[in-house]
Amino acid sequence: MTAATSRDIKVTTPSDREITVTREFDAPRDLVFLAHSSAEHMSKWWGPRRYDIAVCEVDFRVGGKWRIVHRGDDGQEFGFRGEYKEIRPPEKIVWTFEFEGYPGHISLETLSLEERDGKTILTANAVYETVEDRNATLQSGMEEGANETMQRLDEYIATLRS
C-alpha cells in the first residue's frame, strides 16, 4: 500500500487466526449500515474497481445467504458467499465469508460500527479456521482490495447523503 492517509484502512492481526480492518467514515453509522443491507446498495461499492459485479444476491436476515461474483475485463469470475449469523441495526453484522475459488475455507466476520461525533468507525474482524487460511488471505492482496472497497463505500455513502 502507498503512503497512508486518514481515509486508508488500518489492518492488524490480533491473533494468528484473525485479521482486523478499521476505517473511519465521515457519515453517521445508520448510512454505513444501510449500505451493507441490500443487493441494491452493495452492488454499487463492493470490491475493487477493476471488476464488474456479475451477481449480487443479498438475503439480509439472520440465516439469509449472500453471494457476490466479480467479473474482470477478461471474463474471469471470482465468487464470494456466506450466511448472515447476527444482524443488530445499526451497530453489528456477523456473517460467514467464503471465496468460491478456495472452497471449504470459511471465515467468520464481524462488522462493528461505532459512531463518534457524526463519524463512523467501521471495524471488520475476520476469524479464520487456521493460521494458514489467515496467512493465505493476507498474501492474496486483500489489503489493497479492502482499501479500494472502503474508498468505494465512502463514495457511495456520499451519494446516499445527497
Side-chain angles (χ1 to χ4, degrees):
M1 192 160 57
T2 58
T5 70
S6 63
R7 302 312 255 175
D8 283 338
I9 61 171
K10 178 183 176 190
V11 177
T12 58
T13 52
S15 78
D16 63 357
R17 292 181 34 237
E18 292 177 86
I19 299 172
T20 300
V21 173
T22 307
R23 188 181 190 277
E24 181 180 282
F25 291 86
D26 187 14
R29 74 177 176 173
D30 289 352
L31 282 182
V32 180
F33 186 90
L34 178 67
H36 285 83
S37 67
S38 72
E40 173 192 357
H41 295 304
M42 292 182 69
S43 64
K44 305 283 195 303
W45 62 265
W46 205 84
R49 295 180 204 285
R50 68 183 173 273
Y51 298 114
D52 291 327
I53 300 282
V55 175
C56 186
E57 301 165 344
V58 176
D59 182 7
F60 193 66
R61 62 181 177 82
V62 174
K65 309 263 195 248
W66 66 271
R67 181 169 186 254
I68 297 176
V69 178
H70 290 151
R71 182 179 297 133
D73 289 341
D74 60 0
Q76 190 171 9
E77 294 186 348
F78 303 94
F80 305 87
R81 65 178 170 217
E83 179 181 333
Y84 293 101
K85 299 295 187 181
E86 180 181 353
I87 299 172
R88 202 171 346 148
E91 62 193 59
K92 185 177 184 182
I93 304 169
V94 180
W95 67 86
T96 60
F97 182 94
E98 179 180 18
F99 171 49
E100 293 175 350
Y102 198 42
H105 298 269
I106 300 168
S107 62
L108 182 66
E109 301 200 354
T110 301
L111 177 79
S112 301
L113 302 172
E114 181 183 349
E115 191 167 330
R116 292 186 205 149
D117 301 321
K119 297 180 188 294
T120 299
I121 308 301
L122 177 150
T123 303
N125 179 261
V127 179
Y128 296 83
E129 294 175 344
T130 66
V131 65
E132 292 81 12
D133 285 353
R134 189 225 40 193
N135 290 346
T137 299
L138 287 169
Q139 295 165 5
S140 72
M142 67 74 53
E143 187 170 349
E144 179 183 343
N147 199 52
E148 189 171 344
T149 297
M150 291 297 108
Q151 290 169 359
R152 293 184 69 200
L153 174 56
D154 200 27
E155 293 161 8
Y156 181 66
I157 289 168
T159 69
L160 290 176
R161 292 184 92 158
S162 55

